[in-house]
Amino acid sequence: MLVKDIMGCNVRSVKADTSLLEVVSLMCLYRISGLPVVDDEGKLVGIIAEKDVLARMFPSLEDLMAVEGGLASVDMDEMMGRYKEVVRLKVSDLMTKGAISTTPDTHILRAASVMARHKFRRIPVTDGGYLVGVVSMGDVHKAIFKVNIAEAVAAVHVV
């Protein structure tokens, strides 16, 4: 079974010059953990994820070294307040450039192995560099489940 057989084709994406406020609003409103970043032609140029946004608020090594007591002494509420500054940035300031993707003609287990190796839950699907869909671990699991359960049910009814 190939990625094109199970991928979602209605994919939300953003451009590198999109404001993070717009992106985090989409993420929170639609419960999206990450969005592909495309150029004006629709070619995949990166990914912006919740972890990219939230990591910007984490204390840096310099912050930890400057505070006596290290991490235990860092004011986490103050760090949370950095969010207002972070959302003023653009996607290009935080996105992961050169995102890993798969193609529509990739076997679903190969796509799943790439996701597992890189600890992704979903991966963009590109054709000639253009974003054409997205496939998730859940999509792969459901497809395998359906194929195997259908075979098991058919075998039971034959007996």
Side-chain angles (χ1 to χ4, degrees), residues 2-56:
L2 302 178
V3 166
K4 65 184 170 188
D5 300 322
I6 65 168
M7 70 183 193
C9 296
N10 190 11
V11 182
R12 291 183 192 275
S13 63
V14 295
K15 304 256 175 81
D17 63 352
T18 304
S19 80
L20 277 177
L21 180 57
E22 183 178 337
V23 170
V24 298
S25 297
L26 286 171
M27 287 176 171
C28 291
L29 183 63
Y30 295 105
R31 301 179 97 175
I32 300 169
S33 60
L35 293 160
V37 182
V38 297
D39 65 15
D40 290 335
E41 287 80 42
K43 284 198 171 193
L44 183 68
V45 295
I47 296 283
I48 183 72
E50 285 176 320
K51 67 179 181 176
D52 300 322
V53 176
L54 296 176
R56 191 63 177 245

Side-chain angles (χ1 to χ4, degrees), residues 4-128:
K4 65 184 170 188
D5 300 322
I6 65 168
M7 70 183 193
C9 296
N10 190 11
V11 182
R12 291 183 192 275
S13 63
V14 295
K15 304 256 175 81
D17 63 352
T18 304
S19 80
L20 277 177
L21 180 57
E22 183 178 337
V23 170
V24 298
S25 297
L26 286 171
M27 287 176 171
C28 291
L29 183 63
Y30 295 105
R31 301 179 97 175
I32 300 169
S33 60
L35 293 160
V37 182
V38 297
D39 65 15
D40 290 335
E41 287 80 42
K43 284 198 171 193
L44 183 68
V45 295
I47 296 283
I48 183 72
E50 285 176 320
K51 67 179 181 176
D52 300 322
V53 176
L54 296 176
R56 191 63 177 245
M57 294 181 297
F58 298 161
S60 67
L61 181 58
E62 291 80 20
D63 291 338
L64 294 176
M65 292 179 70
V67 176
E68 190 173 323
L71 185 59
S73 300
V74 172
D75 184 344
M76 292 297 172
D77 288 328
E78 179 186 332
M79 294 286 173
M80 254 178 45
R82 291 182 180 179
Y83 190 77
K84 294 176 197 129
E85 299 165 22
V86 172
V87 297
R88 290 187 189 127
L89 299 172
K90 299 283 185 198
V91 167
S92 59
D93 296 321
L94 296 182
M95 72 184 210
T96 300
K97 296 177 175 96
I100 295 170
S101 64
T102 191
T103 65
D105 294 323
T106 301
H107 192 280
I108 63 172
L109 283 182
R110 187 173 308 279
S113 70
V114 170
M115 287 186 275
R117 185 171 55 248
H118 293 285
K119 298 183 180 168
F120 299 157
R121 292 283 310 143
R122 60 192 41 83
I123 190 168
V125 182
T126 57
D127 188 0

